[in-house]
Amino acid sequence: MNYRDFWEAGHCVFGLYGRGPDGKCQCGNPNCPEKSLFKHPRVSNWQHTPHWSEDQLETMEAMDQFSTGYGVLLRGFLVIDVDARNGGLFSLEKLLEDYPEIAAAGLIVNTGSGGGSRHYFFKVPEGVSLLIKLEKYPGIDFKSGAAFVVGPGSMHASGIRYEIALGSPADIDDAPAALIEALRVPERHRADIGGQTVDVSHADLADMLSYIPNDDLDYD
């Protein structure tokens, strides 16, 4: 299990429930969805997980919270999640053509779903909102902020463990600047339209203005 490597590199980590004797999520909730198996955080409010002290980490270890897997909080980080089952490998080829620096990721993890599915880890500026998807790359998610990924060494529902293909948590470097710009959530402005509050971007405003005739005006 590599959770201590992430912890030593400054990441925030937390344990994940495994599989119970009945084959369902160990959390004990009979209605826990099957897709949460081995991906269900043991801590509540995991989005606010702090960087644990050594004593806190040892206590969680003594409680066996990391035995089947752990999550890595992505605050200040970006993970390019390539899902081979949904066309992600073909999209990855296009993504690498557009942003070849991705191939030099400091940490690449083979996910438990197999088939070539991978996680590429990068650092990003904190407080920057990024899109989760780009239509050009189906089968790829761009995860950051209040999200987490399952860390290497953890078990997957398939029975395969996540494993490091290249690098280490200490080697994670900055994401390509051009990719960050492509993923940056457009700046939006709150407006009242017909009594309804909406958020509009600069592109939305430009589109609205394009419908206003100005042929007889002497300014742009």
Side-chain angles (χ1 to χ4, degrees):
M1 216 57 95
N2 304 86
Y3 61 88
R4 272 194 169 266
D5 294 336
F6 279 91
W7 176 76
E8 290 172 359
H11 292 262
C12 300
V13 297
F14 47 84
L16 300 173
Y17 286 112
R19 192 195 305 270
D22 58 357
K24 297 183 178 180
C25 184
Q26 202 176 25
C27 69
N29 177 4
N31 298 317
C32 187
E34 187 175 349
K35 66 180 181 180
S36 295
L37 193 59
F38 293 102
K39 296 182 178 181
H40 186 168
R42 288 178 177 267
V43 296
S44 58
N45 297 318
W46 56 265
Q47 298 92 334
H48 306 291
T49 299
H51 188 259
W52 309 113
S53 68
E54 176 71 37
D55 288 343
Q56 288 173 317
L57 196 65
E58 288 181 355
T59 297
M60 288 186 284
E61 289 172 334
M63 296 172 65
D64 212 23
Q65 291 199 13
F66 300 103
S67 59
T68 56
Y70 63 98
V72 181
L73 185 63
L74 298 182
R75 191 167 56 229
F77 295 90
L78 167 69
V79 166
I80 301 173
D81 183 359
V82 181
D83 185 355
R85 297 167 299 181
N86 294 304
L89 297 183
F90 179 70
S91 292
L92 178 61
E93 292 181 9
K94 293 192 291 183
L95 186 67
L96 290 173
E97 288 178 4
D98 295 339
Y99 308 98
E101 307 97 318
I102 290 174
L107 175 62
I108 303 174
V109 173
N110 293 328
T111 74
S113 59
S117 296
R118 283 185 161 186
H119 288 162
Y120 292 75
F121 285 75
F122 293 96
K123 294 178 183 177
V124 294
E126 286 203 46
V128 176
S129 297
L130 302 178
L131 297 169
I132 298 174
K133 291 183 179 293
L134 293 174
E135 290 185 8
K136 187 179 179 181
Y137 311 108
I140 293 181
D141 287 343
F142 301 89
K143 298 180 177 180
S144 64
F148 77 91
V149 293
V150 179
S154 301
M155 185 63 73
H156 186 270
S158 64
I160 301 173
R161 288 191 181 273
Y162 294 71
E163 62 177 11
I164 291 179
L166 180 70
S168 74
D171 299 324
I172 299 174
D173 206 351
D174 294 339
L179 177 60
I180 294 299
E181 286 307 309
L183 291 171
R184 193 183 294 270
V185 174
E187 183 179 356
R188 306 190 77 82
H189 308 274
R190 183 143 290 181
D192 185 290
I193 299 179
Q196 182 179 3
T197 300
V198 297
D199 291 328
V200 294
S201 67
H202 287 164
D204 294 331
L205 293 172
D207 182 62
M208 293 176 192
L209 289 171
S210 70
Y211 291 93
I212 301 175
N214 66 349
D215 297 336
D216 59 341
L217 303 179
D218 59 0
Y219 57 88
D220 290 335

